[in-house]
């Protein structure tokens, strides 16, 4: 595999499983450094071990916009570069649930949290 993503810094939400994990793995194989943003869990620990040293972790609960703001702050404090933001995490709740701020869960996690995260990180992606 060619290292076409060498030197690229990528942040992916929900990179601890499913499509997000496979995406992180493929990008690392192409030379990228990947930060997975997910809830702290045994699943996240196992994913980080499987992905190896090119993967780092920042904690976020996307059902809480204050946690999204904390994620953006933590990323901006730790890293000076963001080439690609992958807003991957999402869920399909079987029963109605609400986010911390009172939005319907699927709308809040899949859309609103990622809209806010993009807004907060866009300046770093544009002004380099
Ligand atoms: N698979 C499909 O056929 C399909 C089809 C259409 C769209 N999609 C979309 O593709 C994306 C990935 O799907 P997938 O199949 O890989 O699903 P998955 O295996 O269930 O993964 C979903 C990811 O979202 C994370 N997540 C859920 N709620 C979260 C929260 N409150 N805070 C932080 N992370 C949270 C999960 O983390 P935890 O482990 O912490 O829960 C997990 O990493 C989703 O947005 C999904 O809607 C998938």
């Amino acid at each position: 595999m060619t290292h076409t993503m060498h030197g690229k810094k990528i942040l992916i939400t929900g990179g601890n499983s499913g499509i997000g994990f496979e995406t992180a793995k493929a990008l690392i194989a192409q030379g990228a450094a990947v930060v997975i943003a997910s809830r702290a869990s045994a699943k996240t620990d196992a994913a980080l071990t499987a992905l190896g040293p090119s993967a780092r972790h920042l904690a976020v609960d996307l059902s809480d916009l204050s946690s999204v703001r904390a994620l953006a702050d933590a990323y901006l404090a730790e890293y000076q570069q963001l080439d690609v933001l992958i807003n991957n995490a999402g869920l399909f709740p079987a029963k109605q649930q609400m986010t911390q701020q009172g939005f319907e869960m699927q709308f809040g996690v899949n859309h609103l949290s990622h809209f806010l995260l993009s807004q907060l990180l866009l300046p770093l992606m544009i002004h380099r």
Side-chain angles (χ1 to χ4, degrees):
M1 171 125 19
T2 53
H3 282 190
T4 50
M5 297 300 287
H6 186 74
K8 300 294 183 192
K9 194 87 186 170
I10 297 171
L11 175 62
I12 180 164
T13 64
N16 63 348
S17 69
I19 296 168
F21 175 79
E22 294 301 327
T23 302
K25 195 164 79 173
L27 290 168
I28 287 170
Q30 292 176 47
V34 175
V35 177
I36 68 172
S38 64
R39 291 178 280 201
S41 65
K43 195 161 97 177
T44 291
D45 291 343
L48 287 167
T49 301
L51 291 171
S54 293
R56 302 280 305 279
H57 177 243
L58 286 176
V60 69
D61 181 351
L62 296 168
S63 70
D64 183 352
L65 294 176
S66 67
S67 179
V68 175
R69 289 184 188 281
L71 166 64
D73 287 347
Y75 190 92
L76 294 170
E78 201 160 334
Y79 304 104
Q80 291 76 47
Q81 179 187 348
L82 180 59
D83 298 290
V84 181
L85 171 61
I86 303 177
N87 289 322
N88 158 78
L91 76 170
F92 301 92
K95 292 183 184 164
Q96 188 176 47
Q97 297 172 48
M98 298 297 169
T99 67
Q100 198 64 32
Q101 283 74 31
F103 297 103
E104 187 281 322
M105 185 64 79
Q106 187 169 352
F107 179 54
V109 168
N110 299 24
H111 178 71
L112 289 179
S113 70
H114 286 130
F115 190 92
L116 177 60
L117 185 62
S118 301
Q119 288 289 306
L120 295 170
L121 294 178
L122 211 50
L124 180 61
M125 300 183 78
I126 294 171
H127 304 298
R128 284 189 55 211

